[in-house]
Amino acid sequence: MTDRPTSLPDRDISARLCEQVGEAHERHAPLRIVGGDTRAFYGRPVEADPLDVAEHRGIIHYDPVELIVTARAGTPLEDLEAALAEHHQMLSFEPPRFGPQSTLGGAVASGMAGPRRPWAGATRDLVLGSRVITQQGKLLRFGGEVMKNVAGYDMSRLMTGAQGTLGVLADVSFKVLPRPAAHCDLRLAMPLDEALSRLARLGRRPLPITAAAWYDGELLLRLEGGRSSVDATRQELGGETLEPGFWQALRDLRHDFFTLSPGQSLWRLSLPPNTAPLTLDDSHSDTLYDWAGCQRFVKTSLEDEAVRRACSAVGGHATCYTPAAQGGSDSPFTPLHPVVEKHHRRLKEQLDARGIFNPGRLYAAF
Amino acid sequence: MNIQYDEAIDGALAPFAKADVLSDLQHRIPTLRLLHREEDLRPFECDGLAAYRVLPMLVAMPDNLADVETLLARCHALGVPVVTRGAGTGLSGGALPLERGVLLVMSRFQEIIDIDPDARTARLQPGVRNLAISEAAAPYGLYYAPDPSSQIACSIGGNVAENAGGVHCLKYGLTVHNVVRVEVITIEGERMSLGAEALDAPGFDLLALFNGSEGMLGVITEITVRLLPLPEVAKVLMASFDDVEKAGEAVGDIIAAGIIPGGLEMMDRLAIQAAEDFVHAGYPLDASAILLCELDGVLADVDDDCATVRGVLEKAGATEIRQARDDAERAVFWSGRKNAFPAVGRLSPDYYCMDGTIPRRELPRVLNGIAEISRESGLRVANVFHAGDGNMHPLILFDANREGELELAEDVGGRILELCVNAGGSITGEHGVGREKINQMCSQFDADEITVFHALKAAFDPKTLLNPGKNIPTLARCAEFGAMHVHHNQLPHPELPRF
Ligand SMILES: Cc1cc2nc3c(=O)[nH]c(=O)nc-3n(C[C@H](O)[C@H](O)[C@H](O)COP(=O)(O)OP(=O)(O)OC[C@H]3O[C@@H](n4cnc5c(N)ncnc54)[C@H](O)[C@@H]3O)c2cc1C
C-alpha cells in the first residue's frame, strides 16, 4: 500500500546541508534558512548567508492507510497536497501558500495554519516527527511515522513555529486525514455582534463547521463532514452559497481585504474565544474575523503599542505582518514574559550556542 | 535491576543529610505538610508500576502554590532532587521516589477552578481527576476527550506530564492536542505560563514540550483544557475474527474507507477470555481476535458510517459482527476493554504492561514476533491494543514470587520493545519512559539525539534536580546497558537470527 507518486522527483541533499551547517558552526557564521522564501515577511529580516533548502525535496514515504506522509522540507506545498489529494487526503491544518514556491519546511517552521485550525488543530498538532540538522551539522531523528510516541521530549513540535532558530528541518512526518465526504460554503447577512454570539452558541453543539469568518456584514461558514449532517446543518442555518475560492483566498491572504492603504500595516490578532470586538476596531482600522473570532486580521494606522495593549488586555497577542521596511513593526512578535524569555534564551544557547540559525528572526535578542 | 538510582551511572548527587533538609524545609515553610517517618513514607514507595519500590527521603504535600515555589527554590539551593507525583497511577515508574530525594505530591490541588462553556475550556488544578473534568462539563453538553483507562483515578497533571492517551484519541487527539495552557513552577521557584487561552502564543511551543515531559522540566500547577461538545450519538460494532492477522488488516481497511472511528480497539484470545471471565461483556470466546469500533457524531452520519464499516468488516472476513443496540449495551461492550488490565491481572499473580507503538501495517509481523517470544520464554502474553493508532499493550503474565520470573518478564518486555523499534515504532506510546524503559531509550535514540534531549533539559533544569534518573538515560548508562542499538531499522548484526 505504499505509494511514492512517480511524478515528484526525490532529491536528498541532506549531506550537503549538514556540511554547510557544520562549516557555518565552525566559522561562527550565521545562516538564513530559505525554502521558497515566500514567508520572509513573517518575522524580522535575517542578514546572513542563505542556506538553500528548496532543493531538498520529494515525498519520502506516503502510506494513505497509515494516514502518514513524510516529505523533505523543500517539497513544494502544492506538490505535496496534490499527492495527498490523489488519495482523497489532506493536510488538515490548511497551511497557507504564498505562491507555488511555498515549501513544506517553511510552512512547518512558521507554524501558520488556515481557516480550519480551530476545528482540526494547529500545524504542530499534526506533526508526528522530523529529522533535524543540529548546530554541529548532524542529521537527527525525533519522533517518526507512528501516531503515538512519548519517548523523549517532543523536539518536532518544538521546532514547529520556531522559524528555524533552533535547527534546520530536513524532513517532516505528518498525520494526514481523509477529505470530508461532503462540503458546502454559506454566507449569512448578519451584524458582527450577532455573528459572534451565534458562533458561540453553535460552537457548543457537535456541528460539522470547519471554518467561520465574518467580514463586511456577512457571516461566512464552511460545513464539511458526512453528507447527511452537512445537508441537515445547511437546512438549519439557511443563507446563501458562498462563491468558491473564498477560504483559499483567506488562507493565503489573497482576499481583497488584504490590500493596504498607504500608512496602514497588517496585523494578526490571536485572541481567546468569545473576545468582544476590540476598541481598536474603529475608524483607523478594518477587521476581518477568522477562526470564529479567535484570529482577526486588522489593517490599521495605529501604533504598535496601541495594538499590543488592546490584545494583551484581553489575554491575546498580536503579530505584525507588514515588514519594518514597508512601515510595519520592527519587533513583529509580542514580547515574551521575562521568565518565559529567559528560558527561550537558554534553549537557544543550548541548541544554537553560536547563533548560526536565523539569528534575530523571532526576537532581536536571540 | 533498574530500580535504584545509581550515582555512578545516573549522575552524582549533592552531599546533603536528610535531617538537615527536613529542618530547613520545616523552618522555612511552616505551613507545608512534610512526611518523614518510615511508616508515613511507605504508601508512596511506588506508582502504578508496583514491582518498582523505593522509599522516598521525604514526602511534601503542599496545598498552596507559594509553598510549592519555596519548596522548589530550597531544593534547588540545597541540591536536593525532586520527584513530582500526581495520583501515582503511572505505569513506567515516573513517580518512583528517590531514596535521596523529596517526593512532591500534588494530589491536594483538587479544585476545578472554572468551566467556561462558551469558550469551551476548563481551568483545573493539577490534582483534578481526569473523569471529574467530563463529569463537571456534562451539564453544559461538553466533555474532555482524552480518556485513559485509569481515568477514575489519574490526575490531569499526570496526564499532561505523560501526554496520556485513551480509547478516543484516534479521533480526538492525545493530551497534547487538548491542553491549551499550563502554569508551571520551575526548579528555581519561578512561575511561568505556557500556551494561551488564545489558540496560539508567541515564541517557542514550550507548551508542547511540557506535554510528555514526565516531571523533568518543571512542576505543572494549573492546566486549561479544551472541551468538546458531546457527540449526538455513539454506536459501537464488535467484530470477531478467527485470525489475528485478518483483524489487523480490517483496521487498515476501515481507515482506508475514509472513516476515522471515535475508537478502534483490538483484543486477542487471551485478553478476550480474561475480560469475559471478569465482566461478562458477551465477548465471543472462540474468536482469535475482536475489534471494537465506535462511530460517533451526528445521527445520520453515524448510521451511514456504521453501514460502511459493517461492509468493510464483512469483506475483511469477520466471522460475526454485532452492533450494540443501545447505550447500555455499548457500555457493556466497552467494559471488557476498559477492564482488560485488571481482568488479565486475575489470570496471574503479576503482569507487566508494555506500551510499544508500531506502524499499523507491521501489526501481523509484530504479533507473530510477540507470540514467538512468549513461547520461547514460557510466559503468557495477552494483547490489548489501541489498534487505530498502532499502540500495543502486550501484558506479560508472571509470578514475582518465583525465582527469576520478574527478571524474565523484564527481559521479555525489553525484547518486545526492541521488536517495536525495529518495526519503525517507539518504545512508548502513552505510558512514558519513566524509570522502567530508561535502558530501552538507548535502542530508540543514538548518542547525539540523547545529547539533544539533555540540552533541552538543561535549559529548564541545569542542575538536573527534577526527576533525575528517569526519561532520558545518561550516555554512561547507554554505554553500560544499551548494548544492542537498533536504529533507523538497521540491526547491528543483521545476519544473526532473531526470535
Ligand atoms: C489500570 C491502568 C490503566 C491505565 N490506562 C492508561 C491509558 O489508557 N492511557 C494512558 O495514557 N495511561 C494509562 N495508564 C497510566 C497512567 O494512568 C497515566 O500515565 C496517567 O497520566 C498518570 O497520571 P497520575 O496522576 O497518576 O501521574 P503519576 O503516576 O503520579 O505521575 C506520572 C508522571 O507525571 C509526573 N507528574 C505528575 N504530576 C505532575 C505535575 N503536576 N507536574 C509535573 N509532573 C508531574 C510524575 O513525575 C511522573 O513522571 C493506566 C494506568 C493504570 C494503572
Side-chain angles (χ1 to χ4, degrees):
Chain A
M1 291 303 286
T2 297
D3 278 89
R4 175 185 290 169
T6 41
S7 52
L8 281 186
D10 183 46
R11 207 149 164 232
D12 178 1
I13 60 157
S14 56
R16 195 172 86 207
L17 293 172
C18 286
E19 213 171 285
Q20 282 173 284
V21 170
E23 253 168 47
H25 181 251
E26 196 99 314
R27 296 176 21 238
H28 296 251
L31 294 168
R32 181 170 89 91
I33 307 165
V34 189
D37 213 8
T38 59
R39 282 164 222 269
F41 72 91
Y42 185 65
R44 303 177 68 259
V46 177
E47 306 294 336
D49 292 340
L51 179 77
D52 193 350
V53 184
E55 289 300 295
H56 184 63
R57 62 169 72 189
I59 293 176
I60 300 170
H61 185 216
Y62 173 32
D63 193 334
V65 176
E66 296 280 336
L67 301 176
I68 290 174
V69 67
T70 300
R72 301 190 198 282
T75 312
L77 270 179
E78 214 169 82
D79 294 356
L80 176 62
E81 296 196 283
L84 300 178
E86 281 177 32
H87 294 270
H88 306 285
Q89 293 185 336
M90 61 179 183
L91 296 175
S92 54
F93 56 97
E94 285 190 302
R97 285 187 215 160
F98 303 120
Q101 328 74 293
S102 266
T103 63
L104 130 77
V108 175
S110 70
M112 297 162 131
R116 201 185 276 106
R117 191 268 171 250
W119 296 273
T123 311
R124 62 93 136 157
D125 291 324
L126 283 305
V127 166
L128 296 175
S130 60
R131 283 199 305 162
V132 173
I133 302 174
T134 64
Q135 53 186 339
Q136 275 108 8
K138 287 181 173 158
L139 183 64
L140 305 183
R141 177 189 296 279
F142 298 98
E145 298 189 318
V146 282
M147 290 291 169
K148 292 168 78 174
N149 177 12
V150 294
Y153 302 115
D154 202 337
M155 180 71 178
S156 300
R157 291 200 166 98
L158 179 65
M159 292 292 295
T160 306
Q163 298 227 40
T165 57
L166 298 176
V168 183
L169 282 166
D171 30 82
V172 185
S173 300
F174 298 98
K175 177 176 182 178
V176 297
L177 285 174
R179 283 175 172 274
H183 160 231
C184 153
D185 293 327
L186 292 178
R187 62 197 308 163
L188 293 94
M190 193 177 293
L192 175 62
D193 297 2
E194 193 185 325
L196 292 178
S197 60
R198 183 96 179 255
L199 285 171
R201 280 200 313 278
L202 293 174
R204 286 172 61 173
R205 294 171 48 202
L207 295 174
I209 295 173
T210 64
W214 184 91
Y215 182 58
D216 203 13
E218 284 186 317
L219 174 63
L220 309 152
L221 292 173
R222 178 171 63 193
L223 308 179
E224 288 176 325
R227 168 57 57 206
S228 311
S229 63
V230 167
D231 287 350
T233 310
R234 157 140 228 183
Q235 285 279 316
E236 180 191 329
L237 296 178
E240 285 157 50
T241 306
L242 178 62
E243 66 275 16
F246 172 81
W247 299 109
Q248 279 92 326
L250 174 56
R251 177 192 74 186
D252 301 345
L253 314 182
R254 281 188 287 103
H255 186 275
D256 290 344
F257 167 84
F258 295 100
T259 314
L260 301 180
S261 307
Q264 283 187 324
S265 302
L266 176 66
W267 287 81
R268 169 190 181 260
L269 317 187
S270 177
L271 305 173
N274 302 315
T275 302
L278 301 186
T279 44
L280 60 82
D281 301 344
D282 62 6
S283 55
H284 296 283
S285 317
D286 190 12
T287 305
L288 186 154
Y289 292 72
D290 190 10
W291 294 6
C294 288
Q295 168 169 274
R296 301 178 192 179
F297 292 104
V298 179
K299 300 189 284 190
T300 182
S301 51
L302 289 172
E303 293 295 313
D304 299 11
E305 260 316 292
V307 180
R308 291 204 198 286
R309 226 180 308 113
C311 285
S312 53
V314 294
H317 65 100
T319 306
C320 185
Y321 275 30
T322 305
Q326 290 157 40
S329 173
D330 56 8
S331 43
F333 299 103
T334 296
L336 302 169
H337 179 277
V339 179
V340 176
E341 199 211 46
K342 178 168 91 183
H343 290 92
H344 274 65
R345 283 175 192 253
R346 285 192 189 163
L347 264 176
K348 178 75 174 172
E349 272 158 31
Q350 289 290 336
L351 298 184
D352 182 19
R354 296 182 179 175
I356 59 169
F357 294 131
N358 279 354
R361 167 102 183 167
L362 284 171
Y363 295 97
F366 55 91
Chain B
M1 151 200 98
N2 271 336
I3 301 173
Q4 285 292 341
Y5 189 88
D6 181 348
E7 289 197 47
I9 9 182
D10 292 317
L13 302 177
F16 50 81
K18 173 172 173 171
D20 298 340
V21 177
L22 178 61
S23 76
D24 184 283
L25 296 179
Q26 280 172 333
H27 174 70
R28 296 200 193 231
I29 328 176
T31 47
L32 178 65
R33 188 194 291 174
L34 272 172
L35 311 179
H36 54 88
R37 279 189 297 263
E38 190 186 324
E39 65 271 25
D40 297 333
L41 300 174
R42 193 58 72 190
F44 297 95
E45 66 181 350
C46 69
D47 60 10
L49 182 66
Y52 286 26
R53 289 169 194 269
V54 173
L55 210 58
M57 179 177 79
L58 295 172
V59 170
M61 305 188 73
D63 66 357
N64 68 82
L65 294 183
D67 284 358
V68 177
E69 225 170 66
T70 320
L71 173 71
L72 291 170
R74 282 318 295 159
C75 288
H76 184 246
L78 300 170
V80 177
V82 177
V83 177
T84 310
R85 175 180 164 116
T89 68
L91 290 173
S92 55
L96 181 73
L98 289 169
E99 217 174 22
R100 287 171 52 67
V102 171
L103 186 73
L104 167 57
V105 178
M106 297 298 283
S107 59
R108 293 174 77 194
F109 291 94
Q110 296 258 358
E111 195 193 336
I112 295 180
I113 303 165
D114 180 42
I115 291 191
D116 181 340
D118 285 327
R120 277 165 284 138
T121 55
R123 260 176 74 209
L124 311 159
Q125 288 194 333
V128 171
R129 288 174 311 113
N130 174 293
L131 188 61
I133 309 168
S134 288
E135 285 170 353
Y140 306 100
L142 302 170
Y143 77 113
Y144 175 63
D147 56 343
S149 305
S150 51
Q151 68 185 148
I152 46 167
C154 64
S155 74
I156 184 67
N159 289 173
V160 175
E162 297 287 17
N163 189 15
V167 162
H168 286 97
C169 289
L170 174 63
K171 185 165 175 186
Y172 298 106
L174 308 164
T175 303
V176 66
H177 301 110
N178 290 280
V179 169
V180 302
R181 193 175 73 184
V182 296
E183 302 291 321
V184 166
I185 302 182
T186 67
I187 184 67
E188 285 146 293
E190 291 182 307
R191 298 192 191 197
M192 57 180 181
S193 179
L194 309 176
E197 231 109 280
L199 298 188
D200 40 47
F204 301 146
D205 198 338
L206 301 185
L207 175 63
L209 192 61
F210 267 71
N211 273 275
S213 62
E214 300 196 12
M216 305 281 292
L217 303 181
V219 175
I220 299 159
T221 56
E222 187 186 304
I223 302 100
T224 304
V225 300
R226 191 167 71 105
L227 303 172
L228 294 180
L230 282 162
E232 191 176 291
V233 59
K235 299 199 172 179
V236 63
L237 294 168
M238 175 164 65
S240 314
F241 290 86
D242 56 12
D243 180 274
V244 178
E245 247 171 78
K246 282 189 204 159
E249 269 163 30
V251 171
D253 296 345
I254 292 171
I255 309 273
I259 289 174
I260 308 289
L264 186 52
E265 300 281 313
M266 184 166 150
M267 293 166 73
D268 74 359
R269 186 189 294 266
L270 189 54
I272 296 168
Q273 287 171 345
E276 191 52 26
D277 276 354
F278 186 37
V279 296
H280 312 294
Y283 289 174
L285 288 169
D286 55 342
S288 293
I290 58 168
L291 279 184
L292 289 167
C293 178
E294 179 158 296
L295 299 156
D296 65 356
V298 179
L299 181 62
D301 286 350
V302 171
D303 282 340
D304 295 347
D305 287 352
C306 279
T308 309
V309 169
R310 190 178 271 279
V312 169
L313 291 169
E314 274 162 11
K315 221 168 127 203
T319 51
E320 191 195 356
I321 303 169
R322 286 164 53 197
Q323 180 169 337
R325 277 162 308 202
D326 49 26
D327 276 353
E329 195 177 36
R330 182 169 74 92
V332 172
F333 279 15
W334 277 118
S335 67
R337 166 62 189 92
K338 291 236 171 184
N339 288 296
F341 292 7
V344 168
R346 293 166 78 238
L347 297 182
S348 158
D350 300 282
Y351 70 90
Y352 186 36
C353 173
M354 309 311 297
D355 178 43
T357 61
I358 52 168
R360 258 187 283 101
R361 61 173 175 274
E362 297 287 341
L363 177 57
R365 196 166 73 81
V366 172
L367 283 175
N368 283 333
I370 292 175
E372 190 70 34
I373 297 171
S374 166
R375 254 193 305 279
E376 212 180 276
S377 66
L379 297 185
R380 289 179 297 167
V381 178
N383 282 290
V384 180
F385 191 58
H386 300 300
D389 42 29
N391 191 180
M392 318 194 60
H393 289 319
L395 301 166
I396 303 163
L397 309 190
F398 70 100
D399 181 352
N401 287 329
R402 279 204 209 132
E403 178 73 25
E405 265 205 12
L406 171 62
E407 290 72 23
L408 183 60
E410 282 185 322
D411 178 57
V412 166
R415 287 171 67 192
I416 290 176
L417 294 186
E418 269 161 12
L419 194 61
C420 292
V421 173
N422 183 24
S426 169
I427 58 173
T428 171
E430 57 182 23
H431 295 167
V433 174
R435 184 63 175 171
E436 177 208 16
K437 293 185 269 293
I438 189 89
N439 290 348
Q440 275 86 28
M441 280 294 283
C442 315
S443 318
Q444 190 170 332
F445 297 97
D446 69 20
D448 289 324
E449 289 154 353
I450 284 172
T451 303
V452 169
F453 289 148
H454 287 303
L456 289 177
K457 161 97 167 160
F460 295 91
D461 178 21
K463 290 162 80 175
T464 59
L465 293 175
L466 285 170
N467 223 358
K470 313 277 179 67
N471 195 16
I472 311 295
T474 59
L475 293 180
R477 174 169 281 283
C478 286
E480 182 101 16
F481 294 110
M484 194 186 111
H485 179 213
V486 188
H487 200 58
H488 299 170
N489 283 349
Q490 271 150 7
L491 290 167
H493 297 284
E495 74 281 5
L496 300 179
R498 292 177 201 267
F499 317 121

